[in-house]
Amino acid sequence: MDSIVGKKSSLTWAVHISLLILVLLWVFPTAGLLVSSFRTSDQIATSGWWKSFAPSVQNQTLRAAPSNEQKEIDGKFVIEGNLFESGKAAQISAWGVSSREIDVFKPGDIGELRKGGQVTVQANGDYRIEHTEAFTGKRGSRIFITGTQDPEFTMDNYRSVLFDPNNAEGMAKAFFNTLTVTIPATVIPILVAAFAAYALAWMNFPGRALLIACVVGLLVVPLQLALIPLLRFHNDIGIGKGYLGVWMAHTGFGLPLAIYLLRNYMVGLPKDIIENARVDGATEFQIFTKIILPLSFPALASFAIFQFLWTWNDLLVALVFLIDSSGETTVMTKQIVELLGTRGGNWEILATSAFVSIAVPLIVFFAMQRYLVRGLLAGSVK
Amino acid sequence: MHPALQGLLTIILGVGGCVGYFYFSNQFLDKVLFPAKGPNAGKNINRANVIRPWLFLFPALAALGLYLAYPVVETLRMSMMERVPGGEQRFVGLDNYRQMASEPKFWEAIKNNIMWLLIVPALSTAFGLLAAQLSDRVRWGNIAKSLIFMPMAISFVGAAVIWKLVYDTRPVEQDQIGVLNAMYLFFGGSEPNTWLTMPFWNNLFLMIVLVWIQTGFAMVILSAALRGIPEETVEAAVIDGANPFQIFFKIKVPQIKGTIVVVWTTITIVVLKVFDIVFAMTNGQWETQVLANYMYDKLFRANDWGVGSAGAMIIMLLVTPILIWNVYNARQEMN
């Protein structure tokens, strides 16, 4: 465009800046969840995620070493050490020994313990407690500190959501259940639709135009209508709620788009190839498997991505046709809705669970974006 | 049996079954029923070719009929029935519709759905058009497009979690962890708001989630349409001294009007079916009910199939004009 307009105007800058703002607006919410999933629950609850890259000021309650680590030096009993666990260091700006006065001392000051004895704390967390009598008690003295902590991120949330053997949130199981729903529900409609699409594209028979019109019409029928009639049907034929039902339902609901996409693509294939093959005596079945299917790969890939994203992200169909009262077959979307209800405040669990479920579609999306775009362009009814 | 194993078996059975069906039914047709030899060879080939399309179509037609066409009829029937104790059903005419019309929750859902229908397609298309136009003019446009398109891959439930964090509220004395409240306080708001419980406005906050998801779709389609505009028309406008805004609104937009309508109607259909977002974020409380969630409530919480089906029929009724329009256009195109 610039070459047409002929000169770079201030408008070019406006374009860059407005697009940047738009992109940031669109990325910001997702980034928030991603960053939050790497923070501890304390961090999430006390400061906004956008502050997590800057050092934060925090109050902490830490403990000195217990009395069995005391040493006797020059007639005094001494406990020494560093308050911080390794890797969690902070710069101490103030400290105290009672919960009512948590910041009365500066680093290097000497404070009196209530049980007797003196304590000093340095800025880096080193402390030294001295007393003329031996220390008793199992637990070390409490020391309250106010310190600046470097930005800190953790993988613990992912560990507990995915690999915790107790699997309290049930996400690991739900992940496999989702996968179990998704793969057959993606593969089967492709095959069924491909044959139908070929017939609708390249075979002549009465009623073909009417059938195509029906498929276009069924594209927009809301699947809400299908819930009760089909649930009853599934109960009548004895499959009830379960994987078989959900696979069949996804297949049925995915077919109109599949047939529509594939037919549109197949119609555009070169006529000569197909007619030459017919003249050479190839059967329709051979033409389909040897010529049409390989040539239609881009359209097949487009639909596969759509159907994968749709079944992976689906909640309603799984709720109605899959998840029974035992909850054994729960999928990730349902599990996350459940967590939203019961653990609405536990953002570390929610954020991590949500991101586990989002990650797979995102990978597929970025890897196969080309096919997705192509499918969208072919699939929107013109 | 382990579900994963069951899944694998189903894939094998499903795929194998399909391939087997197509292969053997074709073989049967060609070799047994109408063999292409003997005295009637020519006639048989013709007969086989009359039947073959239906062999190819049968599984798809059966599935479409059972899973989409039959439910429409059955739901219509059920919306005029009432369950009576003992598992029987009784014809009640339009009573379910009458009962539905007497419920304030239904009218709330209708009112909200109309708002969704007006606002979401409009905003998504507008933002999509803006993003398409801007990203075509810069070198990093493809990255920008990818990022704006990305929410398309995120589930409605995932998006609900993402936006719940944005709308989160903490007591006034604590640091806000939701961006919206943090900004609100930063720009001089006095107290953090619980955005999702403010009647009327909370609808807008739910709609933003869908706009965020759908903008990428609108952008992709409209971007392709913008690129398809003949250069000459734009060049002519430049020579005539049109400024960039005039070029955009007077030259480009009129030429992609058809595509804008397509995008608009497609998003309209998504809006009519919107369920997950409301279900996960407010579940229709605080005056945010929409038709799809109202219907789900009736069907599976209140167990009232009659009124639930009537609700579903209302959604179908709203979709029908678009359905007819699509079919009409598709037929025009084929001719």
Side-chain angles (χ1 to χ4, degrees):
Chain A
M1 282 305 290
D2 289 334
S3 57
I4 297 170
V5 176
K7 58 174 187 220
K8 273 205 172 196
S9 57
S10 58
L11 197 71
T12 318
W13 281 107
V15 167
H16 278 281
I17 291 167
S18 4
L19 186 59
L20 190 67
I21 291 173
L22 206 59
V23 169
L24 286 180
L25 267 178
W26 252 252
V27 172
F28 201 70
T30 322
L33 198 74
L34 179 63
V35 172
S36 295
S37 70
F38 290 106
R39 304 177 81 204
T40 65
S41 57
D42 280 352
Q43 289 172 323
I44 298 178
T46 53
S47 66
W49 64 269
W50 54 94
K51 292 181 186 161
S52 65
F53 301 102
S56 61
V57 177
Q58 283 185 330
N59 293 320
Q60 292 181 24
T61 307
L62 302 164
R63 274 184 193 277
S67 57
N68 56 16
E69 287 186 21
Q70 61 188 303
K71 285 176 263 177
E72 204 178 340
I73 303 172
D74 299 338
K76 281 184 170 174
F77 293 90
V78 175
I79 299 177
E80 277 184 313
N82 190 297
L83 288 170
F84 299 111
E85 294 168 35
S86 62
K88 296 206 169 177
Q91 198 68 18
I92 295 173
S93 58
W95 58 280
V97 289
S98 122
S99 57
R100 267 166 294 167
E101 300 174 311
I102 59 167
D103 53 3
V104 286
F105 302 119
K106 297 278 159 239
D109 287 356
I110 297 176
E112 288 284 328
L113 282 176
R114 207 163 20 140
K115 292 184 280 184
Q118 286 96 38
V119 54
T120 69
V121 177
Q122 306 299 332
N124 65 357
D126 284 343
Y127 67 92
R128 181 186 171 92
I129 307 176
E130 292 180 346
H131 196 26
T132 48
E133 294 162 30
F135 295 99
T136 52
K138 268 189 198 151
R139 311 185 69 183
S141 326
R142 282 194 297 176
I143 296 175
F144 303 87
I145 62 136
T146 306
T148 14
Q149 193 147 29
D150 285 339
E152 190 205 345
F153 298 98
T154 170
M155 290 294 289
D156 284 355
N157 299 330
Y158 284 91
R159 229 165 275 144
S160 78
V161 162
L162 284 178
F163 304 115
D164 177 22
N166 300 327
N167 195 18
E169 282 79 42
M171 280 306 281
K173 194 176 66 183
F175 185 92
F176 283 106
N177 290 345
T178 302
L179 205 63
T180 312
V181 170
T182 306
I183 293 175
T186 307
V187 174
I188 293 170
I190 293 182
L191 208 65
V192 175
F195 276 96
Y198 174 64
L200 290 176
W202 286 106
M203 290 169 149
N204 273 318
F205 58 91
R208 187 173 79 155
L210 188 70
L211 279 181
I212 297 172
C214 283
V215 170
V216 173
L218 290 177
L219 265 176
V220 298
V221 169
L223 65 87
Q224 268 91 354
L225 271 80
L227 302 180
I228 287 291
L230 288 179
L231 191 60
R232 274 172 58 192
F233 168 72
H234 282 177
N235 283 332
D236 287 347
I237 61 170
I239 51 178
K241 282 188 165 197
Y243 285 113
L244 197 56
V246 83
W247 289 326
M248 285 163 60
H250 275 311
T251 301
F253 299 148
L255 270 181
L257 182 67
I259 297 176
Y260 182 74
L261 270 183
L262 294 177
R263 192 204 88 94
N264 277 2
Y265 190 85
M266 287 177 186
V267 157
L269 292 176
K271 204 173 180 181
D272 304 346
I273 304 182
I274 294 156
E275 284 184 349
N276 282 345
R278 276 190 187 144
V279 170
D280 289 346
T283 65
E284 295 286 342
F285 190 76
Q286 283 169 330
I287 294 174
F288 176 73
T289 49
K290 300 257 166 70
I291 298 174
I292 301 285
L293 267 192
L295 284 179
S296 304
F297 177 77
L300 296 175
S302 297
F303 172 74
I305 297 167
F306 274 123
Q307 181 75 354
F308 176 83
L309 291 180
W310 154 244
T311 48
W312 185 279
N313 289 339
D314 158 76
L315 172 68
L316 185 57
V317 177
L319 272 181
V320 176
F321 293 105
L322 175 64
I323 300 165
D324 53 23
S325 49
S326 75
E328 277 300 304
T329 50
T330 186
V331 293
M332 279 196 285
T333 42
K334 161 73 174 159
Q335 203 61 19
I336 291 169
V337 172
E338 205 100 300
L339 287 176
L340 267 177
T342 56
R343 313 284 286 270
N346 294 27
W347 274 108
E348 74 286 358
I349 293 172
L350 256 178
T352 313
S353 304
F355 229 87
V356 166
S357 100
I358 292 172
V360 176
L362 280 188
I363 293 168
V364 172
F365 171 81
F366 281 114
M368 322 254 306
Q369 201 179 358
R370 202 158 45 100
Y371 293 110
L372 190 68
V373 169
R374 198 181 296 181
L376 270 186
L377 291 177
S380 55
V381 186
K382 283 183 220 85
Chain B
M1 195 168 20
H2 193 273
L5 205 69
Q6 200 187 339
L8 199 69
L9 202 71
T10 309
I11 295 181
I12 295 169
L13 276 180
V15 174
C18 285
V19 173
Y21 161 79
F22 288 116
Y23 182 76
F24 287 113
S25 64
N26 269 286
Q27 287 288 327
F28 180 73
L29 189 68
D30 288 331
K31 297 274 147 64
V32 183
L33 209 54
F34 300 117
K37 55 183 182 237
N40 295 329
K43 209 170 160 199
N44 275 355
I45 290 176
N46 284 340
R47 276 198 205 143
N49 282 343
V50 170
I51 295 182
R52 196 179 334 269
W54 302 102
L55 284 184
F56 275 51
L57 283 167
F58 171 72
L61 289 186
L64 282 180
L66 182 61
Y67 276 84
L68 285 167
Y70 153 75
V72 176
V73 181
E74 174 67 6
T75 303
L76 179 63
R77 193 184 68 86
M78 272 170 49
S79 73
M80 290 185 272
M81 303 293 262
E82 184 184 67
R83 285 203 289 185
V84 289
E88 295 295 303
Q89 293 195 327
R90 186 161 62 88
F91 182 79
V92 291
L94 294 178
D95 274 9
N96 288 323
Y97 291 89
R98 243 172 251 133
Q99 191 196 329
M100 189 165 72
S102 71
E103 284 184 25
K105 260 299 186 197
F106 169 73
W107 290 109
E108 180 192 314
I110 289 278
K111 200 188 79 199
N112 287 338
N113 252 93
I114 290 173
M115 265 205 310
W116 280 78
L117 284 176
L118 291 176
I119 295 172
V120 175
L123 282 185
S124 306
T125 314
F127 276 121
L129 197 56
L130 182 68
Q133 170 67 9
L134 292 180
S135 60
D136 279 346
R137 301 186 54 159
V138 301
R139 215 173 295 153
W140 52 287
N142 278 337
I143 301 170
K145 270 191 201 162
S146 264
L147 291 172
I148 293 176
F149 194 30
M150 180 188 70
M152 272 293 277
I154 295 175
S155 59
F156 285 175
V157 174
V161 176
I162 288 176
W163 283 89
K164 261 216 150 154
L165 183 59
V166 172
Y167 298 147
D168 194 272
T169 311
R170 297 276 140 164
V172 66
E173 67 274 8
Q174 288 177 20
D175 249 11
Q176 293 300 322
I177 68 167
V179 181
L180 196 59
N181 267 319
M183 298 238 295
Y184 178 69
L185 294 184
F186 181 80
F187 287 112
S190 53
E191 254 180 45
N193 284 311
T194 48
W195 306 105
L196 290 178
T197 60
M198 304 161 72
F200 181 75
W201 296 104
N202 50 8
N203 283 303
L204 290 180
F205 292 119
L206 294 182
M207 288 175 208
I208 288 174
V209 182
L210 194 57
V211 171
W212 179 72
I213 294 176
Q214 291 295 327
T215 295
F217 162 75
M219 177 195 67
V220 166
I221 308 258
L222 293 171
S223 164
L226 282 175
R227 285 187 184 172
I229 292 177
E231 288 278 306
E232 307 89 74
T233 57
V234 179
E235 276 166 26
V238 170
I239 292 167
D240 288 348
N243 69 37
F245 289 98
Q246 286 172 326
I247 294 176
F248 183 66
F249 286 108
K250 300 237 165 95
I251 308 291
K252 288 186 170 178
V253 170
Q255 292 194 67
I256 58 167
K257 223 188 242 158
T259 315
I260 293 179
V261 171
V262 169
V263 169
W264 194 291
T265 48
T266 312
I267 298 176
T268 299
I269 290 166
V270 176
V271 170
L272 278 172
K273 300 179 194 171
V274 66
F275 163 76
D276 310 32
I277 294 176
V278 177
F279 184 76
M281 288 185 87
T282 63
N283 200 6
Q285 288 168 288
W286 308 295
E287 299 175 28
T288 55
Q289 190 66 293
V290 290
L291 273 176
N293 196 54
Y294 169 82
M295 190 215 103
Y296 183 86
D297 261 354
K298 284 288 165 202
L299 285 183
F300 297 102
R301 294 224 178 81
N303 242 329
D304 190 339
W305 289 4
V307 176
S309 300
M313 283 319 290
I314 299 288
I315 301 179
M316 185 67 213
L317 200 72
L318 292 172
V319 171
T320 308
I322 301 175
L323 188 152
I324 293 168
W325 163 257
N326 279 354
V327 171
Y328 174 78
N329 278 340
R331 300 210 62 152
Q332 290 258 306
E333 206 171 85
M334 278 197 309
N335 300 336

